[in-house]
Each structure stands twice: as structure tokens, then as C-alpha cells.
Amino acid sequence: MTTQRYKFLDLAQVNAPYMDAIREAVLRVVESGRYVGGEECGRLEAGLQHLTGAPCAVGVSNGLDALRLILRALVERGDMQRGDEVIVAANTYIASILAIIDAGLRPVLAPVDMATLNLDTARLEECVTSRTRAVMPVHLYGRVCWDERLKEFVNRHQLFVIEDNAQAIGACAATDGLFDSRAAGALGHAGAFSFYPTKNIGAMGDAGAVVTHDADLADRVRALANYGSDRRYHNIYLGANCRLDPVQAAVLNVKLPAVESESAHRRAVAAVYDELIDNEAIIKPELTGADMVWHQYVVRCDRRDELQRYLAEAGVATDIHYAVPPHRQPCMSGVDYLAIGNALAQAEQIGDTVLSLPISTCTSVDDAKAIAAIVNAFK
Ligand SMILES: *Cc1c(COP(=O)(O)O)cnc(C)c1O
């Protein structure tokens, strides 16, 4: 393959502006003699409370564990029982589904709004059974999945809302959440954050967090993540070890204050793509207001593989999020899930047509202009 003039993502380059501060912060942890928990972890939790307006945050090991711990805590509290159902968009990343199954719950793969590629909130009633207990909005590609219809639906059916906010840190909903915040991750009862290195705010390893308006739930998540222990050597749950690494917390405390400038850069690149890409073969994502944080800029094309090859040859690296939807993964063959209407066909169609263009801070506005011109020359 030709060398890629326009890289998709280069994490060393993304982190370069923060390196001096990160070196200092990591060294502080290394020299502190305290390597589990401690000040940096507490600071990150406070930072997330400040960012989202939610009163509670618990740093954990990664985004998948954040989702798993929320669901397990709801089960431990008796809010949900084994076999209860959680509604989730059929085209989500597999981690959303793994968390639901891991907690003994049943995923309900729901129809997708083909304009937003998020849950189709007009078709939620189709997903309801006597076992429905929760909805998991996934803010896919950085686009907030929240509107009045979704809010009315969860209120009408008294459902829990667990947000998969792995891709939308810093995003904001256009309408009020269930509590006193419009921030992605604090719209429902609890939200899961991922700081996987490629996410908008990425650590230098794995890290995640749970944000919630429910202090009792936060206590349970914290205990479950620490061997199920509510105080030293006293184990109330059959817990796990899913604690946040303070070295990662130190890295994140440097980067978290930049969430707004990172999002602004992504919005500027998306605006260039939206303005300049003009090719009949390509469907651009909807350009919404300032609420979206553009974790990915995902176009759709019926000849996607051809487009990807063409771009690679023209020096533009791309990626696909995600070619194979969860229900088509080998691990799902024995799993009891429910699929609603044409949801699976939609997820397959999305998997066959999506293509992510470069949009991180390694892609400048000038790069985006050049990439748009290359995209337009695709025949
Ligand atoms: C990355 C991601 C996760 C999992 O986060 P990890 O930190 O990698 O465990 C979950 N859901 C979505 C939508 C993601 O993009």
C-alpha cells in the first residue's frame, strides 16, 4: 500500500501537546509510594462531576467494566432480575452487549434511526415486553442519543437509563435529562465512560468511570469494583477488581480540562467535511449543533470497500466502525437475545456501508480540505 499521507490516528501526536504535563503528573504518582487509589483518582472523579454536573463519579478499570458494574449494582440492589431486558441499538459496539449479558440480563436489539445511526426513538414501543427494565442509549460516534420521546418513554414505563458514553465525553443533549444535567453520561441514572487511548479523552492504557445521580448506586459500584468490599476486609458482594489505575488518572487529569478544545477541533474538521464533501455516492452524517463531539466522522457509501481502497491509494487512511454488528459475531450464537423488527437487517446494512474519515487532532483543517477534495474525486 502507498504511504498514508493523511493518517487516521496517531496517538503519540494526539498526546504530544500534553507530554510535559503528563511526565510530571506520572512522576508524581511514581514518587508518591501510593499505587492504588489516592489523590489522582479522586481528582479525576471530581473532574467528571464538574464536567457532567452529576453528584457522583467512580473511577474504574475501563469502559466495559463501567457498564458491567452499573448493571451488576442494579441487579444486586434488586432493581433488576436475571432475564430482565435492556433495550439497546442493534448497531452498537459489542461492549454494550457484553455488559448486558455479563449481568445476566437479556439484550433487546432495537431499530436504528438511519439518519443518526442511534436508537430510533420513534420505535421504542415495539421493543417493550413484560421484562423490559432498562434502556441503554449509546452515544455512538459522539452523537447524543437523547430526546423528548426517549425521556417520555422511560418515564412512562419506569425504566432505568444506563448510558454508554464511551464515545461522547463532553457532548450535550438538546433537551433535559432525567435529572439536573444535559451532559452526555449524566442524562439518565448512570453513565459509563471509557478512556481507552483512542477515545476523545484517552489514557495511556485502559481506564473508565461511572457517573451517576444515585449515591447509593455509586457506593455499590465502588464496592463491586473493589472485591465487593464496603469497608476493609468486609465483603458484601462477590465482587471483582476493577479499580482505576492512579497513573492513568494522572494522565487523564492533564487531558480532561482540554475536553472542550479537543471537541472544538473535531467540530471544525466535521464542518469542513460537511461543507466540502459533495459526491452523489456518499451520504454524509447529519451536522447537528454544538452538541456533538464527533468521536468519528462516519460517511455511508454502497461501494464502501471500493471507496476505502480508493482513499488508501490516494493517501487517506480510514477505518470502519464497525463492519460486523454484534449479532453476527461468533460469540453471540448461543446467546438469548431479542431482535425487534428490521433491527438486525439495519445493523448489517450499516456495517456494510459505513466508513470513518480521519477527524482527530492529527487531522488539521487544511488536511480535511484536501481529504474532502480526494473524496469528491471518487467515481
Ligand atoms: C470503547 C467502547 C466501549 C468499551 O470501553 P473500553 O474502555 O474499551 O472497555 C464501550 N462502548 C462503546 C460504544 C465503546 O466505543
Side-chain angles (χ1 to χ4, degrees):
M1 201 178 283
T2 41
T3 54
Q4 304 282 266
R5 168 127 199 242
Y6 301 105
K7 285 183 263 190
F8 188 74
L9 184 62
D10 177 338
L11 293 174
Q13 199 179 325
V14 165
N15 287 324
Y18 309 104
M19 277 316 286
D20 287 344
I22 287 173
R23 260 188 222 101
E24 222 173 274
V26 168
L27 201 60
R28 256 199 326 270
V29 177
V30 169
E31 289 177 344
S32 74
R34 173 150 192 197
Y35 307 124
V36 173
E39 209 175 302
E40 296 288 346
C41 293
R43 263 185 68 203
L44 181 66
E45 290 168 353
L48 290 169
Q49 289 167 17
H50 178 75
L51 177 73
T52 61
C56 313
V58 183
V60 299
S61 37
N62 57 63
L64 173 57
D65 283 346
L67 286 169
R68 291 173 54 228
L69 290 161
I70 294 167
L71 292 168
R72 260 235 39 214
L74 289 168
V75 170
E76 290 288 354
R77 195 163 71 180
D79 291 331
M80 288 200 262
Q81 322 282 322
R82 281 193 85 75
D84 280 346
E85 291 171 356
V86 182
I87 298 169
V88 64
N91 64 322
T92 187
Y93 180 57
I94 186 111
S96 323
I97 311 283
L98 294 176
I100 294 168
I101 294 165
D102 184 77
L105 304 168
R106 188 182 192 212
V108 175
L109 302 180
V112 183
D113 176 344
M114 296 303 281
T116 63
L117 302 184
N118 274 335
L119 206 54
D120 187 344
T121 59
R123 294 183 61 187
L124 287 166
E125 286 300 337
E126 293 174 43
C127 305
V128 176
T129 78
S130 61
R131 299 299 301 269
T132 310
R133 291 292 175 275
V135 183
M136 183 183 286
V138 182
H139 307 308
L140 202 67
Y141 310 142
R143 187 185 299 280
V144 176
C145 174
W146 188 257
D147 60 16
E148 282 300 327
R149 258 193 319 232
L150 177 51
K151 185 175 169 177
E152 276 163 27
F153 174 78
V154 302
N155 283 334
R156 184 162 59 246
H157 294 280
Q158 296 286 294
L159 305 177
F160 287 96
V161 176
I162 300 109
E163 297 168 75
D164 181 339
N165 192 38
Q167 301 191 0
I169 189 166
C172 186
T175 60
D176 288 346
L178 295 181
F179 302 94
D180 208 13
S181 168
R182 285 189 179 193
L187 298 166
H189 299 87
F193 289 64
S194 167
F195 302 107
Y196 184 76
T198 64
K199 302 288 156 97
N200 286 25
I201 296 295
M204 293 180 161
D206 282 302
V210 170
V211 162
T212 178
H213 295 275
D214 181 336
D216 174 75
L217 195 73
D219 288 345
R220 289 171 195 262
V221 164
R222 203 181 286 284
L224 281 164
N226 187 35
Y227 320 118
S229 161
D230 64 340
R231 58 194 148 87
R232 203 149 183 247
Y233 303 131
H234 186 259
N235 301 78
I236 50 174
Y237 308 115
L238 297 169
N241 179 347
C242 309
R243 294 180 300 234
L244 171 66
D245 176 351
V247 174
Q248 299 307 330
V251 171
L252 292 166
N253 285 326
V254 171
K255 294 180 74 179
L256 191 63
V259 64
E260 203 35 60
S261 63
E262 290 277 331
S263 303
H265 175 82
R266 288 168 182 269
R267 286 186 192 118
V269 171
V272 169
Y273 286 150
D274 186 69
E275 189 192 339
L276 298 183
I277 293 177
D278 179 18
N279 184 324
E280 276 184 358
I282 289 157
I283 302 172
K284 291 180 286 188
E286 252 179 26
L287 192 76
T288 47
D291 55 326
M292 171 141 187
V293 295
W294 298 101
H295 176 57
Q296 303 295 352
Y297 187 91
V298 177
V299 299
R300 289 179 49 221
C301 177
D302 288 337
R303 293 182 288 132
R304 188 267 317 278
D305 293 346
E306 224 181 294
L307 174 62
Q308 185 173 39
R309 267 195 307 275
Y310 158 81
L311 289 172
E313 273 159 26
V316 181
T318 58
D319 206 342
I320 297 172
H321 302 96
Y322 303 93
V324 181
H327 72 275
R328 294 289 295 272
Q329 297 291 350
C331 64
M332 290 290 283
S333 58
V335 170
D336 173 38
Y337 63 83
L338 186 61
I340 305 300
N342 60 342
L344 301 187
Q346 286 183 316
E348 287 168 24
Q349 195 198 342
I350 291 165
D352 287 341
T353 55
V354 285
L355 187 69
S356 305
L357 302 183
I359 196 164
S360 76
T361 41
C362 355
T363 304
S364 69
V365 162
D366 282 341
D367 290 343
K369 288 178 184 167
I371 292 167
I374 295 168
V375 169
N376 287 343
F378 173 67
K379 298 220 175 48

